[in-house]
Amino acid sequence: MVSSRAILAGSSLAALTLFHSGGALAQTTAPVTTLPSVEVDAPKQTQAPRRPKVRVAIDRRRSTSQARPQSEAPAAVEGQSQRLDSARQSILPPGGATTHTLTHQAIEALPQGSNASLDKVLLQFPGVTQDSAASGDLHVRNEHANLQYRINGVMLPDGVGAFGQILDTGIIGSLSLLTGALPAQYGQRTAGVLDITTKADAFNNTGVVGVYGGSNGTISTNVEYGGTVGQTQYFLSGRFLQNNLGIENPTPSVNAIHDRTNQEKGFLYLSTMIDPQSRLTFMSGVSNATFQIPNNPGQTPANTAFGVSNFDSSRLNEHQNEFNQFNVVSYQTSNGEFDTQTSFFNRTSLLHFYPDPIGDLVFNGVSSDVYRQSVVNGIQQDTSWRIGYAHTLRFGLSVSAERTLVNSGTTVLPLADPTDPTAGTIDAPFSVFDSNAKTGWLIGTYVQDEWKITNNLTLNAGLRFDQMVQFVDANQLSPRVSLTWKPFDGTTFHAGYARNFTPPSQVIASPVNLALVTPPGAPANTQTPEVGQNSPVLPERSHVFDVGVTQKIYAIPGLEVGADAYYKKARDLLDDGQFGAAYVLSGFNYDRGENVGVELKATYKSGNFSAYANLAWAKQIATNVVSNQYLFGADELAYIDGHYIYTDHAQMLSGSAGASYLWEGTRYSVSMVYGSGLRSGFANTDHLPGYTQVNLGLSHDFNIVAPNKPTTVRFDVVNVFDTIYQIRDGSGIGVFAPQFGPRRGFYVGMSQRF
């Protein structure tokens, strides 16, 4: 991507970092009521009359499996597995947090269904804001990143990727977003918890194969299969995606230039019942992706490099490769009183940005080859202990070790006049190499009591301790408390407070060696920052208050409405941005930050018709940059130090809505996302215009092969009104280049169950 903006701190040394609501009640037993003793004479036992013996002829040639229905064993395993799934939910309930849930069926009812990427599905939740891939795809409650991903209760550690979605939407059985005052079992990333449960109906020895494609040269093929063998359930899936719009177009044109992507994803789930009360589960996922960086034609060259001063910006050749893999082994047991899950997790994440060696120098004055790697190993243990009727005690521990490597090979140009950066550069490129490796640790432990004060009132109170040993060593003891009250049938109130401790992503917090590009160690050059201050990135500490209510409207059966309000006060508020041509992120802190918002939601379901609508108002402001100050210009840094400014991802209004109707085997669906515009301009003092994007979907099941093996055909239209809107305009803090939303696209798909 090319921008005409001057680069103060590029992607090498200046940006050497990549990248249902209310509380669930525990299972309880009804209170015991003592009754007067009554003596009853036992009836006399009589022997049942003998039945005459009947001779039955048996064909001994039949196998045991023929004599006993084969479905008995899988059904027994399915029942045991479902019981343990329910027990796992009791280990990690949402407590007093705000919860929004989509089932696999609800996802399939959206336009594009499971062919949509995970971030596009998440935009249908309240308070989720759309952003560009370079800025993290989305934001929950105006937070930048700070989103925790869990799969079957196990937290997936941060990766280093910028664009690739490691999890395929097709593996999801249900998807819940937890926000607000989270209970004590949730640490580290606290803006929201994305809790993914894998498909539970995929173990019936069937599968699906499909193909999907259309505009922008899109072609996607997928296959999945699941079954049961003995005491073992398994499920595997794979998807290949190729298109010519891998990253948002920097221009409003229909077709992007140099924006091809190839992506492969795979997922494996294995679960074996050890006995009726315990099971061993293995999950593994892999994602491998390549991205061309799209070009913005018509840019004016700013420098001469290697004798080249006239370069066509539409012919730049930057690209990025990303690889992610995770593995999880979990042992779960449930005996009615104790429910526990112990897991080992591993994640490997790689990113490599390849510049255009000459073109980047001509336009940006810097050419950076950036490599980032992260390998994480850890354990997580969570236990739920029911103590009588009123109390459920929960406690757990997580420990992870991460090894990161950040390399940057950068070519820069000397300044013609060190006292006047506008005087131009000298065609005398020289290279610098910076490398940083670190092994860091994250440790968290918690204890929490769920006290059922009455049948309608529940108190969750807990204490959490977190310790980080990374580029900065820090810790915090964090109290959490929430109340859930159900005064009437269909009415649920919740209120909570949480003290949070959020460590920065280690790879994004990796420091740079400014001496490599700062006099007297090097001549003044295109990478010499205006501000030579480089304080380390700190963990964020915050107080979060959240209140909300949901209400079923019995006068209109199937209608439920809800409202939620929150306030967050933070010290060392974490943020990050793209401060150079490379599509990698660099982290920094604001000394103080505030986040306030209100969310409204409504859902309706009647027969084959369902609909939803969400609207959120939010405001996040912050002041005084206290880490990685070199990323900013001197005037911008001084302004932020004296003013509260909007963070770049702060959007005042966001909304989503949709509906689905199944009529005579055909499903009609529509979805919409709205945004009032992200921040732009000097120190984020302006914002982009608002926009609305509407999508349509149509699908039908044909019984060509068999009634229980449908052939599904679908047709989707993305951005049906061909609305032209900008997500980013290339200005604002940590925003390097413009990105536009997708133009109208037509897509067709077919899948066959076998």
Side-chain angles (χ1 to χ4, degrees):
M1 180 74 66
V2 179
S3 171
S4 60
R5 196 178 70 169
I7 306 305
L8 298 176
S11 62
S12 56
L13 299 170
L16 287 180
T17 45
L18 297 194
F19 179 155
H20 317 344
S21 193
L25 298 178
Q27 297 177 0
T28 60
T29 57
V32 178
T33 303
T34 304
L35 300 176
S37 62
V38 179
E39 295 183 1
V40 180
D41 293 333
K44 295 181 180 180
Q45 295 183 357
T46 58
Q47 186 175 0
R50 294 183 179 180
R51 295 182 179 180
K53 293 182 179 181
V54 179
R55 178 169 301 196
V56 179
I58 300 176
D59 187 352
R60 299 186 181 276
R61 291 174 297 180
R62 286 186 177 182
S63 65
T64 303
S65 62
Q66 289 175 312
R68 175 177 295 180
Q70 294 184 8
S71 61
E72 288 184 8
V77 174
E78 181 181 358
Q80 295 169 359
S81 181
Q82 290 176 350
R83 187 181 69 82
L84 287 172
D85 287 344
S86 298
R88 185 173 61 217
Q89 294 300 316
S90 73
I91 300 173
L92 296 165
T98 303
T99 308
H100 315 286
T101 299
L102 281 175
T103 64
H104 176 73
Q105 291 75 18
I107 294 173
E108 286 290 355
L110 294 170
Q112 296 195 287
S114 59
N115 296 290
S117 59
L118 183 58
D119 62 297
K120 302 306 180 188
V121 173
L122 293 178
L123 293 178
Q124 306 308 313
F125 283 131
V128 180
T129 302
Q130 179 179 211
D131 203 345
S132 65
S135 298
D137 287 316
L138 55 85
H139 306 288
V140 175
R141 291 189 166 183
N142 272 352
E143 300 269 11
H144 201 146
N146 201 14
L147 179 62
Q148 180 180 148
Y149 289 81
R150 288 190 174 224
I151 184 166
N152 290 343
V154 181
M155 183 174 65
L156 297 180
D158 294 331
V160 301
F163 317 129
Q165 300 279 332
I166 184 172
L167 296 174
D168 181 34
T169 311
I171 73 170
I172 296 173
S174 68
L175 177 69
S176 295
L177 177 64
L178 282 63
T179 57
L182 301 176
Q185 62 262 36
Y186 298 107
Q188 298 183 22
R189 305 290 168 254
T190 53
V193 176
L194 192 62
D195 191 7
I196 298 171
T197 302
T198 54
K199 286 183 177 179
D201 58 349
F203 310 117
N204 51 3
N205 299 311
T206 63
V208 176
V209 61
V211 61
Y212 187 80
S215 298
N216 301 302
T218 300
I219 182 68
S220 174
T221 57
N222 68 286
V223 61
E224 63 181 54
Y225 189 83
T228 303
V229 178
Q231 298 296 308
T232 300
Q233 294 179 322
Y234 65 92
F235 171 76
L236 53 89
S237 71
R239 180 181 294 271
F240 170 77
L241 170 66
Q242 175 182 288
N243 64 46
N244 297 322
L245 192 64
I247 308 171
E248 292 86 3
N249 194 342
T251 74
S253 62
V254 174
N255 299 312
I257 302 171
H258 191 261
D259 200 7
R260 191 173 185 82
T261 182
N262 291 309
Q263 302 176 33
E264 301 97 28
K265 300 177 185 179
F267 179 77
L268 171 65
Y269 175 94
L270 292 171
S271 180
T272 296
M273 300 299 303
I274 299 174
D275 55 53
Q277 296 180 340
S278 61
R279 67 178 171 185
L280 186 67
T281 301
F282 172 74
M283 295 178 291
S284 181
V286 63
S287 171
N288 186 43
T290 62
F291 298 90
Q292 292 179 334
I293 307 302
N295 295 330
N296 192 357
Q299 299 297 296
T300 302
N303 308 286
T304 299
F306 301 105
V308 178
S309 59
N310 187 15
F311 198 107
D312 183 355
S313 61
S314 67
R315 302 183 66 84
L316 281 166
N317 186 26
E318 302 168 329
H319 60 284
Q320 186 160 297
N321 296 343
E322 298 180 11
F323 173 83
N324 287 276
Q325 182 185 28
F326 70 88
N327 301 286
V328 176
V329 179
S330 297
Y331 172 75
Q332 182 189 354
T333 183
S334 174
N335 62 9
E337 183 179 1
F338 283 92
D339 296 319
T340 184
Q341 179 168 275
T342 304
S343 305
F344 165 79
F345 57 84
N346 161 271
R347 175 163 178 166
T348 300
S349 187
L350 309 174
L351 180 151
H352 195 171
F353 174 84
Y354 298 87
D356 187 305
I358 298 178
D360 282 3
L361 283 172
V362 171
F363 290 101
N364 303 320
V366 56
S367 173
S368 300
D369 187 301
V370 180
Y371 177 83
R372 293 181 169 184
Q373 174 182 302
S374 170
V375 179
V376 184
N377 290 280
I379 59 172
Q380 176 185 327
Q381 194 278 331
D382 300 281
T383 298
S384 173
W385 177 23
R386 280 172 290 279
I387 307 173
Y389 166 75
H391 293 273
T392 299
L393 188 67
R394 296 183 174 89
F395 50 91
L397 171 72
S398 63
V399 180
S400 64
E402 179 180 17
R403 181 68 176 177
T404 57
L405 174 65
V406 176
N407 290 340
S408 179
T410 305
T411 304
V412 299
L413 296 172
L415 298 180
D417 183 356
T419 63
D420 183 12
T422 64
T425 60
I426 302 172
D427 186 9
F430 67 95
S431 297
V432 294
F433 179 78
D434 193 8
S435 180
N436 192 295
K438 180 71 174 178
T439 298
W441 294 81
L442 291 176
I443 302 170
T445 185
Y446 69 91
V447 61
Q448 172 180 279
D449 180 37
E450 181 187 88
W451 178 19
K452 189 174 182 181
I453 302 173
T454 69
N455 287 336
N456 300 326
L457 183 63
T458 302
L459 172 68
N460 270 282
L463 198 60
R464 180 178 182 89
F465 177 77
D466 289 283
Q467 173 73 57
M468 61 174 287
V469 182
Q470 297 181 339
F471 295 106
V472 171
D473 298 348
N475 58 62
Q476 181 175 287
L477 190 64
S478 306
R480 311 273 181 92
V481 61
S482 67
L483 273 173
T484 303
W485 181 38
K486 299 181 178 180
F488 315 107
D489 186 27
T491 303
T492 302
F493 290 94
H494 73 268
Y497 161 77
R499 176 80 166 133
N500 293 329
F501 177 84
T502 305
S505 172
Q506 183 169 297
V507 73
I508 291 179
S510 178
V512 301
N513 186 357
L514 292 183
L516 296 173
V517 291
T518 303
N525 57 80
T526 48
Q527 283 291 85
T528 302
E530 291 185 30
V531 178
Q533 199 171 354
N534 188 20
S535 302
V537 181
L538 304 170
E540 177 187 302
R541 306 171 190 268
S542 64
H543 303 271
V544 175
F545 304 86
D546 184 275
V547 294
V549 59
T550 59
Q551 176 66 59
K552 294 181 178 179
I553 309 300
Y554 289 107
I556 308 176
L559 176 63
E560 180 176 288
V561 298
D564 200 86
Y566 60 89
Y567 173 73
K568 172 183 173 179
K569 187 176 181 65
R571 293 301 303 266
D572 301 322
L573 178 71
L574 280 168
D575 202 348
D576 49 56
Q578 181 194 354
F579 290 90
Y583 273 63
V584 296
L585 299 176
S586 298
F588 62 94
N589 299 95
Y590 293 102
D591 179 43
R592 293 179 301 278
E594 293 183 6
N595 196 14
V596 59
V598 178
E599 297 169 352
L600 305 176
K601 67 174 183 177
T603 60
Y604 176 74
K605 184 172 179 57
S606 177
N608 292 331
F609 177 78
S610 63
Y612 64 91
N614 307 300
L615 180 65
W617 173 88
K619 177 182 179 182
Q620 187 180 71
I621 56 176
T623 186
N624 191 11
V625 176
V626 293
S627 64
N628 278 349
Q629 296 91 336
Y630 75 93
L631 296 170
F632 297 80
D635 55 347
E636 193 172 47
L637 191 66
Y639 182 86
I640 298 170
D641 288 350
H643 299 79
Y644 270 91
I645 66 163
Y646 288 95
T647 56
D648 72 279
H649 42 275
Q651 181 168 262
M652 194 70 71
L653 291 174
S654 62
S656 60
S660 171
Y661 181 56
L662 181 63
W663 181 66
E664 295 187 353
T666 301
R667 182 173 298 279
Y668 305 85
S669 59
V670 59
S671 69
M672 178 273 289
V673 293
Y674 166 78
S676 61
L678 296 171
R679 307 306 300 186
S680 62
F682 173 81
N684 299 333
T685 52
D686 199 359
H687 71 86
L688 294 172
Y691 64 89
T692 301
Q693 178 183 316
V694 179
N695 309 316
L696 297 178
L698 182 70
S699 65
H700 187 86
D701 288 348
F702 296 91
N703 296 328
I704 299 175
V705 178
N708 63 337
K709 297 180 179 179
T711 303
T712 303
V713 177
R714 67 180 308 128
F715 173 70
D716 301 299
V717 184
V718 172
N719 194 359
V720 62
F721 299 114
D722 200 22
T723 302
I724 299 176
Y725 65 92
Q726 278 189 305
I727 302 174
R728 296 287 191 179
D729 70 350
S731 68
I733 297 172
V735 181
F736 180 74
Q739 288 103 15
F740 282 78
R743 297 292 299 271
R744 181 167 52 211
F746 301 92
Y747 302 90
V748 182
M750 183 175 68
S751 63
Q752 175 65 59
R753 181 165 292 278
F754 59 91

